[in-house]
Amino acid sequence: MMHSKRSSSELLHVTKRFFSIEKTGAGIGNVQDRMMPSSLRQEELFRHSKNPKTVSIIGAPMTYGQPFVGTDSGPNLLREAGLLNMMTSLGWRVEDHGDIDFEKIANTASNEFSPGARNCGIVGAVNEHLSSVVEEKIKMGRFPLLVGGDHSIGIGSIAGVLRARPNTGFLWIDAHADINIPKLSESGNMHGMPVGLLMEGVAPDFSELPGMDWLVNGPRMTPDSIVYIGLRDVDAAERSIIRDKNIMAFTMHDIDRYGIGAVMDMAIEHLTKENANRPIHLSYDIDAVDPLLAPATGTTVRGGLTFREAHYVVEAVAVNGNLASADIVELNPTLSDSEGAKATIDLGLQLVTSMMGKSII
């Protein structure tokens, strides 16, 4: 693993200096970012959460799905930037579940080597725990908001969501398809596998993967239950799977061609055509956004979503009313200078508040 010698607490101490987000504004040009809830009636939004609407903020400081330390600081940096108070300003009751102690779980996880799946035992063990937390929050009628951490936490979030709500549809906002499995992966990094590991007809034999035996009997997502938005860096094997399984995928080419409004209309229509009230899980990797706007992430690819496209994605699914759970991942302030790190955290915070009901009018 390419971990630095700095501990997580040291990294957090260093990065704190960069994120004194001004109360009068946020984002490029310090434009004022008013925390105004949607003017739509409360019962029209987040209809799958019980009243009074409660968001459970679950810190998921995962670093083991990819080679860079720093993604574990994301949850605390968003909290320190004002996430909890912003949620209350939008009308939510807030339960801060705190950060899951991944290091404690990792210390007791299997260290058995698994070809094609780096840190498989640790990633499996922590996601088993995470899936149980997500399932529990949903069954309590709350909205689980997972704050990563790298995208391997998608293994736990998908599994927990499907156990609680098997008919859930998924919006995967990412530059990458994350539909690899160990025998196909070019890197072995498990942040590129959450969809592949849980996909019906793609998932491997979990009895052969250390720490993953809890997934032997499912759950599984179906190819028609997911829509990709923002793809622009897809491995050859992933490309074949997407085509063979006829998975709906909107690349950046499609966004250029149709516009983000039409793309979101088609995506949501696809997921809700048989059930207008189908719950939707939104998984947002910050690398979906162009690196000029969000440079502090591990796998940047040029030509991503613009500032407004990035926001429109979350605004559209929020207004639809079916958004029932979400995660935001791969914010890593150590992979950019102070200005780039602050811009990325600012943007992540704005995307979260927009998906949770912030509205212009």
Side-chain angles (χ1 to χ4, degrees):
M1 297 175 67
M2 296 169 57
H3 286 179
S4 75
K5 294 182 180 179
R6 284 179 172 171
S7 67
S8 296
S9 60
E10 288 173 325
L11 285 169
L12 185 59
H13 175 74
V14 170
T15 53
K16 277 180 183 178
R17 295 183 293 113
F18 302 146
F19 305 121
S20 55
I21 295 179
E22 312 223 2
K23 294 181 179 180
T24 57
I28 295 174
N30 201 35
V31 177
Q32 190 167 7
D33 187 17
R34 297 182 182 275
M35 213 46 51
M36 303 280 286
S38 173
S39 57
L40 293 175
R41 291 182 300 173
Q42 185 74 4
E43 59 268 27
E44 295 177 355
L45 298 174
F46 309 104
R47 61 176 62 98
H48 295 287
S49 299
K50 292 181 180 178
N51 286 319
K53 307 294 186 186
T54 303
V55 57
S56 293
I57 297 173
I58 304 166
M62 174 71 89
T63 64
Y64 296 103
Q66 47 78 58
F68 299 108
V69 162
T71 52
D72 51 338
S73 62
N76 276 338
L77 289 171
L78 287 179
R79 289 189 186 99
E80 291 172 359
L83 177 60
L84 275 64
N85 286 337
M86 290 177 182
M87 292 296 99
T88 63
S89 297
L90 295 174
W92 289 92
R93 294 177 70 246
V94 176
E95 177 210 14
D96 188 356
H97 181 84
D99 286 359
I100 294 174
D101 192 347
F102 282 7
E103 292 300 322
K104 181 179 180 180
I105 299 170
N107 287 337
T108 60
S110 170
N111 290 319
E112 184 181 347
F113 175 73
S114 178
R118 295 183 180 182
N119 306 314
C120 186
I122 297 175
V123 171
V126 296
N127 273 293
E128 180 180 13
H129 179 79
L130 182 61
S131 70
S132 297
V133 174
V134 172
E135 181 182 11
E136 176 188 16
K137 300 304 181 185
I138 292 175
K139 289 182 175 179
M140 293 172 68
R142 296 178 178 173
F143 185 110
L145 173 62
L146 287 81
V147 183
D150 70 55
H151 217 164
S152 66
I153 68 167
I155 301 167
S157 63
I158 294 173
V161 165
L162 287 176
R163 285 202 298 256
R165 295 191 180 110
N167 65 326
T168 295
F170 294 85
L171 282 172
W172 206 264
I173 319 303
D174 203 320
H176 311 89
D178 297 344
I179 200 168
N180 265 305
I181 55 175
K183 71 176 183 179
L184 299 176
S185 174
E186 297 175 7
S187 69
N189 294 327
M190 296 193 74
H191 71 163
M193 302 186 193
V195 177
L197 292 176
L198 276 296
M199 179 63 69
E200 182 180 276
V202 179
D205 181 355
F206 287 109
S207 66
E208 299 178 355
L209 291 176
M212 305 295 288
D213 56 304
W214 59 280
L215 284 173
V216 167
N217 296 316
R220 301 286 184 268
M221 62 199 310
T222 58
D224 63 352
S225 69
I226 186 171
V227 178
Y228 288 110
I229 295 172
L231 294 181
R232 58 190 185 279
D233 184 14
V234 181
D235 290 351
E238 294 180 303
R239 183 178 178 180
S240 296
I241 293 171
I242 291 170
R243 289 180 168 179
D244 291 346
K245 299 295 182 183
N246 198 29
I247 297 172
M248 179 169 277
F250 293 100
T251 67
M252 288 308 303
H253 170 84
D254 298 312
I255 292 171
D256 290 340
R257 180 180 181 185
Y258 298 112
I260 195 63
V263 164
M264 288 307 299
D265 287 346
M266 288 186 281
I268 293 172
E269 194 278 332
H270 174 79
L271 293 177
T272 59
K273 59 187 175 184
E274 295 182 4
N275 179 2
N277 293 318
R278 185 184 196 181
I280 293 175
H281 176 85
L282 176 68
S283 189
Y284 208 122
D285 188 324
I286 199 69
D287 74 20
V289 184
D290 193 275
L292 290 175
L293 299 170
T297 187
T299 48
T300 56
V301 188
R302 291 187 300 176
L305 298 173
T306 66
F307 185 88
R308 275 306 308 155
E309 288 170 343
H311 278 77
Y312 188 84
V313 168
V314 293
E315 292 166 356
V317 69
V319 170
N320 170 265
N322 287 331
L323 186 60
S325 51
D327 53 63
I328 185 163
V329 299
E330 299 284 356
L331 297 96
N332 190 340
T334 68
L335 296 180
S336 182
D337 59 20
S338 61
E339 183 178 346
K342 182 180 184 300
T344 306
I345 296 296
D346 279 358
L347 180 58
L349 187 66
Q350 292 178 49
L351 292 174
V352 170
T353 53
S354 290
M355 78 171 66
M356 299 305 290
K358 183 178 69 178
S359 179
I360 298 171
I361 294 179

